[in-house]
Amino acid sequence: MDKVRCLIIGSGPAGYTAAIYAARANLSPVLYEGSMPGGQLTTTTEIENFPGYPDGISGAQMMEDLRKQAIRFGADIRVGIATKAVLQPNEKIITIDGEKEIQASTVIISTGASAKYLGLPDERKYAGMGVSACATCDGFFYRNKTVIVVGGGDTACEDAMYLSGLCKKVYLAVRKNSLRASKVMQERVLRNEKIEILFKHEVIGLFGEDGVEGAILMKNRGEKEQEEYSIAVDGLFIAIGHHPNSTLFEQYLELDKLGYIKTFHGTQETNVPGVFAAGDVADPRYRQAITAAASGCKAAIDCERYLVENGL
Ligand code: NDP
């Protein structure tokens, strides 16, 4: 069995930043990139709010730069997915791809979060045939077509803006009568002539022969004026938030009621000594690239102190 001093699981801004700090502290970190190297930011367009990039930077480029920076200081970045975890104070064993076991003195969990779906049977029926949770991955297939985006946060607005550059028309279905997105995003969407916002609308079904040809909408749910109707669309993009990727660790780690890993004492420590959590998997509140990176830094520093204090 491989033995490592510092094992990092996940490769978004939290994981890579933890790797940079841990490598510079001579912890010889090993990082497994998981199923989506670079994490969620590789699916965003432009990052405009990370300090230090006055002209913005693409998510994919930023992740590539962070990865290179970690490698430069000696981090061992590997392809592989953690499939099993034993996380006890005196025994931390992570299984990679169902076969390779790694014994770690410390573990930093930075597995991020994944897109939520609406839970409609039609989402499964039309998976890969007109339903997507990633506008930048799949938008290309909808050039000059009509799509509907669901959600009212920054992700939904950003997706609607991105898709408006490709599509003939973009509907944005928002379940409340207001957007939750930041003011700057709201203004962009409201000014965009290709985007039509459908407030107090939910998508409740889809129809089509060999792919999505339309969506069934419900307007004013639960009110006297509640109404159902259909519109013609070629694609549905879901942008209603994310859930933390913590299931693998739930047997050992304390999670909050939404499944985020709990950290304690203003540090990145979890309830298991030597196990730290960073980034979106432990952050129900901020969920920004900059806060994820900062928590990755904190986790690596916490890790180093733990190793020193325990003579490991
Ligand atoms: P949010 O949680 O902010 O927003 C989710 C949206 O989806 C809300 O409008 C919510 O509606 C709606 N929603 C949730 N469930 C359903 C459902 N079942 N049916 C219909 N609508 C639903 O998630 P985001 O992914 O947009 O953003 C997450 C974080 O990332 C935020 O902090 C955001 O600021 C940040 N972010 C920043 C970006 C940037 O700065 N460039 C880009 C993208 C994200 P309701 O309001 O009714 O609850």
Side-chain angles (χ1 to χ4, degrees):
M1 193 184 316
D2 267 14
K3 288 189 180 173
V4 305
R5 288 182 83 204
C6 174
L7 181 67
I8 301 168
I9 310 172
S11 57
Y16 286 141
T17 305
I20 293 167
Y21 273 77
R24 285 173 56 84
N26 271 344
L27 306 187
S28 310
V30 171
L31 179 151
Y32 277 93
E33 290 188 305
S35 57
M36 194 179 179
Q40 292 173 67
L41 282 182
T42 56
T43 67
T44 64
T45 44
E46 198 78 350
I47 302 174
E48 295 180 330
N49 51 10
F50 200 101
Y53 296 94
D55 301 320
I57 181 170
S58 80
Q61 185 61 52
M62 180 190 272
M63 290 309 105
E64 187 47 37
D65 289 348
L66 286 177
R67 187 175 189 276
K68 269 197 212 144
Q69 200 173 344
I71 290 171
R72 176 177 155 215
F73 294 113
D76 180 353
I77 301 208
R78 301 181 187 172
V79 174
I81 300 172
T83 48
K84 190 173 167 222
V86 173
L87 297 175
Q88 282 166 339
N90 297 316
E91 183 178 60
K92 299 168 185 65
I93 297 174
I94 304 293
T95 308
I96 304 297
D97 296 331
E99 48 190 27
K100 185 181 172 70
E101 289 193 333
I102 300 202
Q103 190 174 51
S105 306
T106 58
V107 178
I108 296 176
I109 298 169
S110 48
T111 43
S114 300
K116 276 190 203 162
Y117 283 81
L118 296 167
L120 301 172
D122 283 346
E123 276 172 332
R124 276 194 297 280
K125 183 172 166 192
Y126 292 100
M129 295 162 62
V131 176
S132 170
C134 179
T136 47
C137 314
D138 300 325
F140 185 73
F141 300 113
Y142 297 88
R143 274 170 305 162
N144 300 321
K145 297 195 169 174
T146 299
V147 297
I148 185 161
V149 177
V150 179
D154 279 318
T155 304
C157 290
E158 197 176 77
D159 286 0
M161 287 297 297
Y162 177 74
L163 291 165
S164 74
L166 295 163
C167 302
K168 192 165 63 184
K169 164 124 191 149
V170 179
Y171 292 102
L172 179 60
V174 182
R175 67 180 174 183
K176 287 191 186 139
N177 59 3
S178 60
L179 291 166
R180 189 197 285 200
S182 53
K183 276 277 169 292
V184 56
M185 280 310 279
Q186 291 195 22
E187 279 161 17
R188 278 182 205 167
V189 165
L190 289 163
R191 271 203 311 266
N192 189 314
E193 285 177 357
K194 278 198 188 169
I195 302 174
E196 179 176 344
I197 307 183
L198 304 172
F199 285 111
K200 296 182 85 175
H201 275 73
E202 293 174 34
V203 172
I204 57 168
L206 297 166
F207 56 88
E209 284 290 315
D210 295 320
V212 171
E213 292 172 14
I216 306 165
L217 306 181
M218 180 182 281
K219 187 177 174 188
N220 298 322
R221 181 189 282 278
E223 294 176 20
K224 219 168 59 226
E225 305 82 20
Q226 179 174 310
E227 135 182 35
E228 271 182 45
Y229 65 98
S230 300
I231 53 167
V233 291
D234 305 292
L236 166 68
F237 285 86
I238 321 265
I240 60 169
H242 293 82
H243 60 79
N245 297 322
S246 58
T247 316
L248 194 63
F249 316 105
E250 66 189 0
Q251 191 185 338
Y252 300 97
L253 299 186
E254 279 185 40
L255 309 181
D256 73 8
K257 61 181 188 312
L258 297 173
Y260 290 89
I261 299 175
K262 285 191 185 175
T263 54
F264 299 93
H265 318 119
T267 71
Q268 301 309 125
E269 293 166 14
T270 67
N271 58 299
V272 176
V275 178
F276 307 89
D280 282 14
V281 73
D283 179 8
R285 191 178 174 103
Y286 302 104
R287 296 174 295 181
Q288 303 295 305
I290 184 78
T291 49
S295 68
C297 153
K298 286 168 66 190
I301 293 173
D302 291 340
C303 205
E304 184 190 5
R305 291 197 179 144
Y306 173 88
L307 289 165
V308 170
E309 280 163 15
N310 291 277
L312 295 166

